[in-house]
């Protein structure tokens, strides 16, 4: 079913992948858990259209997550997922909420750890971490995860340096046939979906393409700024939160690029205070989270201090529409997107184009 309640296009048999069977979705298309963007409306629209919507929870309090889960469930009965931070001090309580709400997928931006994987799977959750390198894929596959999202350098937000065309086949070969691999970074249409399947993937995940839909809650003037960005109008910078992140290149980003981390320290401390207020995180919990982040991601203390910048500066742009003081995470794919369809229209067009491409390749 699509977002209008009408059946979507019948998928080609090649589109009925292990991801579809494992998660229970009609199409192998995933909407990623973008902070401040992937709220209940977008997630439910994706689920209703036949894809897998993933709710972003890192910026939500525990009560806020419970409310968001209830709202998604009020909008659709289709399977959906939730993105979690493994270093969150209350991650166990969050997993409990997912279990109680009947969520299908637990998505992780970082390696979730063997014990957390086991707990989720014992409760029937499909565990899907995101990886940016072959060695990371091998690590989580050894823990028994059900699927991985392999994000190449073209992807938006925090990203690695290996392009999708090289990373995806590496990860497919590394994890073996039991782990469903989902390609991310540079995907926006049906041809890309077929290309990912040709590499051995079981589907594609998209962030920027779903952000630029009518169902996305991002303010229209901000969407217009995205649509005006070219394929060369993005930059990977470490000056937002200390780790590589692809964003739209703006005057603010240029200023951050010229500034050293010492000059950025006051902004980082203010962001940390704002993040604590937004998420209800106590100071001791924030410090524990920082230590875990430093250990798990091999960061320096200056990078840890800067880490709160990303959610706060992203919120300024994507929620408040203040692009002068906020950043716009994006994939390079932003430069080839020129329209704002509904999610139902987007998913249907991707499937129709994939069907046509597969038919053409089949002679």
């Amino acid at each position: 079913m699509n977002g209008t309640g009408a059946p979507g296009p019948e998928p080609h048999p090649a589109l009925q992948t292990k991801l579809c069977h494992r998660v229970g979705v009609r199409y192998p298309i995933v909407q990623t858990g973008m902070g401040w963007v992937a709220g209940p409306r977008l997630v439910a629209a994706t689920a209703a259209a036949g894809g897998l919507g993933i709710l972003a929870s890192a910026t939500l309090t525990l009560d806020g997550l419970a409310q968001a889960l209830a709202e998604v469930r009020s909008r659709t009965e289709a399977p959906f997922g939730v993105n979690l931070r493994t270093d969150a001090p209350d991650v166990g309580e969050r997993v409990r909420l997912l279990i109680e709400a009947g969520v299908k997928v637990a998505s992780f931006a970082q390696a979730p750890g063997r014990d957390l994987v086991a707990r989720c799977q014992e409760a029937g959750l499909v565990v899907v971490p995101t990886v940016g390198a072959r060695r990371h894929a091998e690590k989580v596959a050894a823990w028994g995860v059900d699927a991985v999202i392999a994000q190449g350098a073209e992807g938006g937000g925090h990203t690695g340096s290996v392009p999708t065309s090289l990373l995806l086949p590496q990860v497919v070969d590394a994890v073996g046939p039991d782990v469903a691999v989902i390609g991310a970074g540079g995907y926006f249409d049906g041809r890309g979906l077929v290309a990912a399947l040709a590499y051995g993937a079981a589907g594609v995940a998209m962030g920027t393409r779903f952000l630029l839909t009518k169902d996305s809650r991002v303010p229209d003037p901000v969407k217009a700024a995205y649509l005006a960005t070219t394929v060369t109008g993005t930059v990977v910078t470490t000056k937002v939160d200390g780790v590589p992140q692809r964003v739209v290149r703006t005057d603010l980003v240029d200023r951050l690029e010229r500034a050293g981390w010492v000059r950025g320290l006051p902004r980082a401390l203010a962001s940390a205070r704002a993040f604590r207020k937004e998420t209800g995180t106590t100071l001791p919990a924030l410090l524990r989270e920082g230590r875990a982040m430093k250990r798990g991601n091999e960061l320096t203390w200056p990078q840890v201090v800067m880490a709160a910048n990303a959610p706060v500066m992203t919120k300024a742009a994507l929620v408040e529409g203040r692009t002068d003081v906020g950043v716009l995470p994006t994939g390079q794919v932003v430069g080839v997107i020129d329209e704002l369809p509904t999610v139902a229209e987007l998913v249907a067009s991707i499937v129709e184009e994939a069907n046509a491409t597969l038919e053409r390749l089949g002679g």
Side-chain angles (χ1 to χ4, degrees):
M1 305 292 283
N2 63 22
T4 64
E10 187 67 28
H12 186 283
L15 298 182
Q16 291 297 291
T17 68
K18 71 180 76 172
L19 171 65
C20 297
H21 298 307
R22 196 161 290 177
V23 178
V25 294
R26 183 171 170 82
Y27 308 125
I29 299 171
V30 179
Q31 163 254 302
T32 59
M34 299 164 281
W36 306 116
V37 177
R41 184 175 71 184
L42 183 61
V43 171
T46 304
L52 176 65
I54 297 180
L55 179 74
S57 76
T59 54
L60 298 175
T61 63
L62 197 63
D63 288 342
L65 174 57
Q67 293 169 10
L69 292 173
E71 184 176 346
V72 176
R73 271 286 165 251
S74 72
R75 291 172 177 264
T76 181
E77 296 181 358
F80 70 99
V82 175
N83 183 255
L84 301 167
R85 287 184 58 176
T86 59
D87 53 7
D90 59 354
V91 65
E93 296 174 80
R94 289 173 182 262
V95 169
R96 175 181 56 78
L97 287 180
L98 268 59
I99 296 168
E100 292 173 352
V103 172
K104 186 65 177 179
V105 172
S107 162
F108 296 94
Q110 305 134 319
R114 192 185 302 271
D115 292 343
L116 188 54
V117 170
R119 178 181 176 188
C120 290
Q121 290 178 328
E122 287 169 4
L125 288 165
V126 175
V127 179
V128 187
T130 297
V131 299
R134 176 176 181 144
R135 62 187 176 91
H136 297 153
E138 292 171 337
K139 180 179 180 180
V140 296
W143 295 341
V145 300
D146 302 284
V148 295
I149 296 176
Q151 179 176 312
E154 301 94 323
H158 296 116
T159 194
S161 58
V162 181
T164 306
S165 59
L166 300 180
L167 176 67
L168 187 53
Q170 277 191 319
V171 171
V172 168
D173 292 343
V175 301
D178 293 334
V179 179
V181 179
I182 304 159
Y187 295 108
F188 65 100
D189 64 2
R191 294 172 299 175
L193 172 55
V194 174
L197 299 183
Y199 278 124
V204 295
M206 301 180 294
T208 304
R209 179 61 278 197
F210 278 100
L211 184 155
L212 291 172
T213 61
K214 292 177 182 175
D215 295 288
S216 162
R217 62 182 180 182
V218 173
D220 287 342
V222 178
K223 290 179 183 177
Y226 273 107
L227 292 176
T229 303
T230 67
V231 289
T232 58
T234 70
V235 62
V236 176
T237 179
T238 61
K239 294 302 182 70
V240 175
D241 63 354
V243 292
Q245 181 173 187
R246 185 179 295 281
V247 297
V248 174
R249 183 155 208 159
T250 62
D251 290 341
L252 170 64
V253 172
D254 285 340
R255 291 197 301 273
L256 292 175
E257 283 283 280
R258 293 192 296 267
W261 80 267
V262 174
R263 288 179 59 189
L265 185 58
R267 180 193 295 269
L269 293 174
S271 293
R273 287 193 295 271
F275 184 74
R276 283 181 57 201
K277 182 178 180 180
E278 188 75 38
T279 61
T281 306
T282 65
L283 182 57
L286 192 64
L287 292 173
R288 287 196 300 271
E289 190 173 321
R291 284 195 295 270
M293 184 185 300
K294 182 179 186 297
R295 183 173 59 252
N297 298 282
E298 300 177 354
L299 303 180
T300 64
W301 276 113
Q303 287 175 314
V304 172
V305 172
M306 292 173 66
N309 274 337
V312 174
M313 295 180 72
T314 303
K315 180 187 179 187
L318 299 186
V319 178
E320 301 164 6
R322 301 180 61 201
T323 56
D324 57 326
V325 295
V327 294
L328 299 170
T330 186
Q332 281 185 293
V333 73
V334 69
V336 297
I337 297 173
D338 57 9
E339 60 180 353
L340 297 172
T342 65
V343 164
E345 291 167 344
L346 172 64
V347 171
S349 69
I350 291 173
V351 174
E352 289 168 355
E353 186 176 39
N355 284 346
T357 302
L358 287 163
E359 293 291 344
R360 173 171 56 83
L361 293 175

